[in-house]
Each structure stands twice: as structure tokens, then as C-alpha cells.
Amino acid sequence: MSGSMTQANVHSGQDATVSFPMRIRDARVVVTSPGRNFVTLKIETDQGVYGIGDATLNGREKAVVAYLEHHVIPVLIGRDARQIEDIWQFLYRGAYWRRGPVTMRAIAAVDVALWDIKGKALGAPIYDLLGGRSRDAVMVYGHANGGDIPETIDAVGRYLDAGYQAVRAQSGIPGLELAYGVGRGELHYEPADAALPTQSLWDTRKYMALAPKLFEVLRDRFGPEPRFLHDVHHRLTPLEAAQLGKRLEPYDLFWIEDPTPAENQEAFRLIRQHTTTPIAVGEVFNTIWDAKDLIQEQLIDFVRASVLGAGGLTHLRRIADFAALWQVRTGCHGATDLSPVTMGAALHFDIWVPNFGMQEYMRHTAETDAVFPHAYTFERGFLRPGDAPGHGVDLDEVLAARFPYEPRQLPVARLTDGTMWNW
Ligand code: EZ4
Ligand code: CO
């Protein structure tokens, strides 16, 4: 009897003095801007174990801060931090007002912090709590971009030289200022660039002429091996998207992303009927309901819902399991507005999820990495979550306080005649 107790303690790998339940003693929001704005939730328990969750909503950060501080934190205090599922249901059903980017990011922050706490309390990385590793490492793609096709080719070449097996390519359109996806320097693409929205221009005809040319030249130059991806960023009508998909077929893209807005899931049927270019959608999705028809009618190939956008690990794994029934794979959003906390949690998810497709990865600045010390590592096109208990990402609050909030919004887009368009 005592022998098996000892055995259990050894295998738990954790301080046996941690007793249950674990009451949530305190929770607070930290806003910091180490190169860009991040909203972080820290939940503390009466056992001394704490957890961290990301609540960043790019360009609308303060809305989530208010939602957490006024409406979520007060109902968390005193709850048992072990009850992740019940707390998720309480925040989702209990709000009465369901879904939406603000609510679901607030829920995600709580959920990820609670998974972090559970992992730390049990001495287990989150991927082990989910069911263990399904693969050795997580393939990621980076953003290569340039002002024109030759610059974009050079940028893609640098990613391939660095060992990436997958690269997203976006090219500026000559004559159109500030086309989507064109950054201001290597590895650090950052669209939220000003306190008031920057205005960009969009011209579908110019874009439709340029995009197939870009991938023709990329295949010529780099051969059949690299996985190439491309983000249309909601700019086309369904018919135009179908035309683009057809024109890109010879260049064997890994996916085209957000070819048309997905508010109307039905719109993707028309695209699907006309092209075999794989389709990825979902960085703006908040719940499984945003993706339900797209998945079960096999209108997409990759669902890009993220831990941050779609209510945390508890809900994202439900989306992934549902998607697996139709052989739809994951492709988690991973731009720089998802903090290292989300990246850490995403990597635990990615290394577990059976129907993994690809993970987006844009590097954070050195300041961001310093504010969020993390266990995950990058090597030649792959990320690994590390084996730290929980998600393995922490928050240096002293350092965070040195980077106060800076108002920043995403750009807007107009057609060349002045009509508002989808950015
Ligand atoms: O524009 O995350 O695929 N990645 C993207 C991103 C989004 C930003 C918006 O905040 O589309 O660059
Ligand atoms: Co995108």
C-alpha cells in the first residue's frame, strides 16, 4: 500500500504537498507593448500555482481588457481551477450573449491559463494531457514578401536557405501602394502600424494578373519540392476566387487562404466546384459554428481557427475532432498578434492533434521574446513545444511594465475609386 503510494508520487513527478481543490485566488490583466500590444491574463491559485493566457485582439485590445476585468474575473474568484470544462461552459453559456471575437478571446485566455495551471500542478506538458505526441516536431511556414516579384523571390529564397519547407509568398502590386502582406523588413511582418488606420488600395484585376505569375516564377526558380502558400485576405468574390484557384493549379500550392469572406459559408461551394487548389479558412473564426458547413460539406481543406481566436484549447480540439471526420486538417493562425503564450499553447495542440496540417509562424521581436520567456524552440522550419509542465510560456511582469500600451489599429482597404473594401 505505502509502496504503491510512493510509486504514484514518483510518477506524478510533482510536489506531493499540492492538495485539491485549487481555488482561484486572483486574476489580473497585463497589457504590454514590447514591439506590439499584447493582452495577457494571469490566474493565481491558493496553491501558489499560476497560469498564463493570451487575450490579444489586434487593434481592439482594450475591448477584451474591459470584458475580462468587468465581466470575467469577478466570476472566476473562488472557483476550482481544475474544472476547466465547467468554467468554459459557464463563461460561454453563462454570458447568454454567445460567440464573437471579444468574448471568445476572453474565454480563450481563461482556458489556456487553466490548462497551464493543470499541467504545472500535475507536472505534465499540456500535450501529454491532450493524449501525447503524434509527431516529433511541428512544421511551420513563414511569410516571404517583397514590393514586387523579384523581391519576393529573394525573400522566399532566404526562407528556403534557412531550412523552411513551407513559405507563404505575397508580392506587392506595382502601382498599388501598401498591398496586403508586404512587410517592412525581414521576418517581422506587422500590419497594425498606426494609431489610426492606414489606408491601402486594392485592385482585383491587377492582383489577378500578378498572383499566378508570382507562383509560376517561384516554381521555375525553386522546383517542385517547397510547399508554397498564399493569403488572399478576403479580397475576392467567390467567382474571382474560383478563377484564381484554377489559374494557380499548375503551381501546386499547399493552400490559398481566405479567398473570399467566410461569413457566408455557402459561398465556398462555387469556388470548390471549379478548382482543386486547396483552401484554408478560419483565422477570424471564433467557434465551431463558423466552420460547421465548410467542414461537413468538404468545402475547405484546412481550418485556420486558433487557440486564441476560438475559445482556447477546450474548444479548438472540438473543432479539430469534428474536422477530422471529413479529412480537414488544422492550420492554426500564428501571426505576430498571437502572443508567445498562444504560440506555446498552439504547439502543444499541434504536436498532439492527429489531423495536423501546418502552423503559421512569424517571429516576435527580441523584446517580445524577453517579456514572454518560453520553452518552445525553432530549428530549420520546425517548432517544438518543449517539455516544461503546462504550456511552457511565462510572463516577466517587471519587464512588461517597461513597455506601455501604444494605440495601434489595422489598416483599411479601398478600391481605387474610393469604395471601402475588405482589408
Ligand atoms: O492579417 O493576424 O495569415 N495571416 C494573416 C495575418 C492577419 C493578422 C491580423 O491581425 O492574415 O497577417
Ligand atoms: Co491570413
Side-chain angles (χ1 to χ4, degrees):
M1 186 66 187
S2 67
S4 68
M5 287 285 285
T6 310
Q7 191 76 355
N9 287 340
V10 167
H11 284 293
S12 79
Q14 182 61 27
D15 183 357
T17 61
V18 173
S19 60
F20 294 111
M22 303 176 75
R23 297 283 168 210
I24 296 175
R25 190 174 62 77
D26 187 30
R28 63 183 186 283
V29 179
V30 175
V31 180
T32 179
S33 191
R36 68 160 354 281
N37 292 314
F38 294 110
V39 178
T40 308
L41 178 70
K42 182 167 183 173
I43 297 181
E44 291 178 355
T45 65
D46 60 2
Q47 314 280 324
V49 183
Y50 66 87
I52 303 282
D54 177 20
T56 308
L57 178 56
N58 202 5
R60 296 289 186 271
E61 294 86 2
K62 296 284 193 168
V64 194
V65 173
Y67 193 91
L68 281 166
E69 289 183 342
H70 294 295
H71 308 297
V72 173
I73 289 174
V75 305
L76 288 179
I77 307 301
R79 279 177 200 278
D80 184 348
R82 295 175 307 162
Q83 314 268 359
I84 299 175
E85 186 67 51
D86 184 66
I87 290 174
W88 195 97
Q89 299 292 339
F90 186 94
L91 294 175
Y92 184 83
R93 294 171 193 265
Y96 184 68
W97 310 107
R98 296 185 182 201
R99 307 163 64 187
V102 176
T103 303
M104 296 311 291
R105 271 172 174 74
I107 294 176
V110 173
D111 185 76
V112 168
L114 294 179
W115 278 97
D116 193 28
I117 288 170
K118 191 180 286 291
K120 287 170 173 170
L122 298 173
I126 288 173
Y127 68 74
D128 264 341
L129 303 178
L130 292 171
R133 290 169 183 268
S134 299
R135 58 195 54 78
D136 299 328
V138 173
M139 186 184 284
V140 300
Y141 70 92
H143 296 189
N145 54 68
D148 56 19
I149 288 178
E151 270 182 39
T152 306
I153 291 169
D154 289 349
V156 169
R158 287 192 288 275
Y159 274 98
L160 297 177
D161 288 346
Y164 282 80
Q165 295 182 20
V167 187
R168 185 187 98 157
Q170 308 290 141
S171 173
I173 302 173
L176 267 195
E177 257 181 282
L178 300 172
Y180 170 76
V182 180
R184 291 183 180 73
E186 286 296 295
L187 304 172
H188 293 123
Y189 172 68
E190 187 56 76
D193 58 359
L196 295 174
T198 304
Q199 184 175 299
S200 58
L201 289 177
W202 182 251
D203 183 327
T204 296
R205 289 184 66 80
K206 286 199 168 109
Y207 166 77
M208 292 286 277
L210 180 118
K213 187 76 196 160
L214 169 65
F215 287 96
E216 183 190 352
V217 176
L218 284 173
R219 277 287 170 229
D220 270 0
R221 175 71 177 270
F222 298 112
E225 195 73 11
R227 293 160 181 81
F228 289 137
L229 302 85
H230 181 66
D231 195 344
V232 184
H233 223 259
H234 325 268
R235 301 290 171 91
L236 300 179
T237 66
L239 189 70
E240 290 161 353
Q243 292 169 340
L244 179 70
K246 272 177 108 156
R247 291 180 202 170
L248 289 173
E249 276 171 26
Y251 315 118
D252 184 28
L253 267 64
F254 189 81
W255 75 42
I256 53 169
E257 176 183 337
D258 291 332
T260 200
E263 289 143 315
N264 176 15
Q265 298 179 47
E266 180 73 22
F268 283 73
R269 194 182 314 284
L270 188 145
I271 307 172
R272 198 60 154 176
Q273 281 166 345
H274 292 282
T275 180
T276 56
T277 293
I279 300 170
V281 183
E283 69 186 35
V284 303
F285 288 174
N286 303 130
T287 74
I288 198 166
W289 298 102
D290 294 324
K292 175 178 148 291
D293 299 341
L294 289 172
I295 291 170
Q296 71 181 2
E297 299 190 22
Q298 296 180 276
L299 303 179
I300 58 171
D301 302 280
F302 299 90
V303 59
R304 280 182 47 73
S306 68
V307 172
L308 171 63
L313 291 158
T314 295
H315 193 67
L316 187 62
R317 75 173 168 174
R318 248 157 227 157
I319 298 176
D321 282 340
F322 180 72
L325 300 178
W326 287 277
Q327 301 190 50
V328 172
R329 291 185 282 162
T330 65
C332 288
H333 186 212
T336 41
D337 47 300
L338 293 85
S339 93
V341 177
T342 291
M343 187 51 70
L347 293 171
H348 285 261
F349 171 83
D350 291 337
I351 210 141
W352 158 72
V353 71
N355 47 326
F356 173 74
M358 184 74 79
Q359 171 69 53
E360 182 179 27
Y361 175 52
M362 280 307 284
R363 280 157 209 243
H364 291 109
T365 62
E367 291 82 1
T368 297
D369 284 338
V371 167
F372 297 97
H374 48 263
Y376 65 79
T377 53
F378 173 80
E379 195 187 0
R380 295 194 68 76
F382 288 86
L383 280 165
R384 290 178 171 78
D387 297 316
H391 54 52
V393 186
D394 209 343
L395 171 69
D396 181 335
E397 292 188 66
V398 175
L399 193 55
R402 286 200 227 146
F403 300 100
Y405 175 71
E406 293 176 22
R408 288 274 182 279
Q409 295 199 46
L410 287 167
V412 295
R414 288 186 188 273
L415 303 182
T416 48
D417 72 355
T419 308
M420 273 298 291
W421 200 241
N422 311 316
W423 175 72

